[in-house]
């Protein structure tokens, strides 16, 4: 017998507004406590089943012309803890009452910078049955064969003759230092300015602009950086610093703009448990 559920969560660029609840984290119900289970605490984790499921998944990806999923130990911890929770509840769910959301579980277990995350959960009696049923289901197959996913963690908890399976997927992005992030932002600004066939902007390193970006990150809010008189100020969050907001072109191409400064801070916050760049751009 086989049951399965699948989900996928995208973490998108947010400009001037807070992200939606599904893009960051869901509120946790207060009526029961939840603790992460260490992958070494229980003999009921079926490591061989986890490895076999990953092997089968990567064989499917190879046939589809996709690169293999790399194992991330943090995702494995998150998946195992959720598989154990499903076994204890004797049912499938992506989030039980009192349990953190997928993004919260991942951020608590792994030091990753994810732009996208997804999860398959299933219950079956054999590894082969679980894999074949997952591949026969469109949403589960979409997660397994998602070209944007490059890392995964599979957790299998054995209870009697049942295997409780949690497959956590992620699109892991590189992280940059503050200076590297600013350089990427500056390059993108200058490219857009050149595309608009306007004179090159003068870049100024401004301590207050950098401080404003870090203040936003600390406050977990875009509203803490006050606009400066006579200047255009853009405040936003991004998973990739080289990606600018779509509406920035109008400001960059403005004839009255000659100088700009950029500030950025990378932080993990309640809104962005897997991390985001908080950016302030000021044009004069």
């Amino acid at each position: 017998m086989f049951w399965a559920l699948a989900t996928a969560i995208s973490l998108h660029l947010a400009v001037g507004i807070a992200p939606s609840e599904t893009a960051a984290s869901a509120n946790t119900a207060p009526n029961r406590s939840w603790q992460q289970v260490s992958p070494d605490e229980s003999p009921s984790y079926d490591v061989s089943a986890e490895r076999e499921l990953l092997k089968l998944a990567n064989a499917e990806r190879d046939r589809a012309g996709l690169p293999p999923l790399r194992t991330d130990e943090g995702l494995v911890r998150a998946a195992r803890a959720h598989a154990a929770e499903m076994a204890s509840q004797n049912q499938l769910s992506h989030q039980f009452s009192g349990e953190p959301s997928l993004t919260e579980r991942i951020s608590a277990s792994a030091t990753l910078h994810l732009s996208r995350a997804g999860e398959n959960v299933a219950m079956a009696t054999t590894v082969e049955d679980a894999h074949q049923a997952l591949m026969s289901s469109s949403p589960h197959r979409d997660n397994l064969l998602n070209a944007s996913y490059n890392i995964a963690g599979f957790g299998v908890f054995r209870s009697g003759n049942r295997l409780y399976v949690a497959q956590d997927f992620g699109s892991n992005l590189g992280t940059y230092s503050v200076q590297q992030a600013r350089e990427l932002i500056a390059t993108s600004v200058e490219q857009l300015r050149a595309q608009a066939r306007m004179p090159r902007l003068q870049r100024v390193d401004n301590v207050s602009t950098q401080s404003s970006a870090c203040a936003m990150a600390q406050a977990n809010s875009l509203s803490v950086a006050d606009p400066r008189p006579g200047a255009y100020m853009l405040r936003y969050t991004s998973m990739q610093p080289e990606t600018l907001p779509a509406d920035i072109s109008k400001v960059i191409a403005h004839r009255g703009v000659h100088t700009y400064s950029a500030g950025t801070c990378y932080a993990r916050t309640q809104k962005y448990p897997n991390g985001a760049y908080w950016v302030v751009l000021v044009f004069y």
Side-chain angles (χ1 to χ4, degrees), residues 18 23 27 47 58 78 83 117 127 141 144 147 153 158 172-173 175 186 230 244 251 257 262:
N27 291 329
V47 177
N58 280 334
V127 169
R141 184 175 62 253
L144 286 163
R158 183 178 291 276
N172 192 33
L173 303 172
T175 55
L244 302 179
V251 177
V257 169

Side-chain angles (χ1 to χ4, degrees), residues 13 36 56 61 71 85 91 131 136 140 190 219-220 223 230:
L13 180 76
Q36 186 178 15
L56 291 169
R61 290 175 67 88
T71 298
E85 185 70 10
Q91 62 177 305
H131 176 73
S136 299
H140 300 88
E190 290 161 10
N220 197 28
S223 63

Side-chain angles (χ1 to χ4, degrees), residues 91-110:
Q91 62 177 305
L92 297 181
S93 176
H94 288 296
Q95 184 179 12
F96 292 99
S97 176
E99 183 187 27
S101 66
L102 173 61
T103 52
E104 290 173 319
R105 284 186 270 124
I106 290 175
S107 66
S109 303

Side-chain angles (χ1 to χ4, degrees), residues 39-70:
D40 300 322
E41 286 181 358
S42 172
S44 297
Y45 292 110
D46 195 326
V47 177
S48 63
E50 294 168 354
R51 291 172 180 168
E52 184 62 21
L53 280 170
L54 181 62
K55 180 180 177 181
L56 291 169
N58 280 334
E60 300 286 358
R61 290 175 67 88
D62 183 63
R63 281 189 283 272
L66 299 172
L69 295 167
R70 294 182 291 103

Side-chain angles (χ1 to χ4, degrees), residues 7-56:
T7 190
I9 299 174
S10 296
L11 309 180
H12 299 293
L13 180 76
V15 183
I17 58 173
S20 66
E21 195 170 58
T22 55
S25 61
N27 291 329
T28 301
N31 60 336
R32 71 182 291 272
S33 61
W34 181 90
Q35 286 187 329
Q36 186 178 15
V37 180
S38 168
D40 300 322
E41 286 181 358
S42 172
S44 297
Y45 292 110
D46 195 326
V47 177
S48 63
E50 294 168 354
R51 291 172 180 168
E52 184 62 21
L53 280 170
L54 181 62
K55 180 180 177 181
L56 291 169

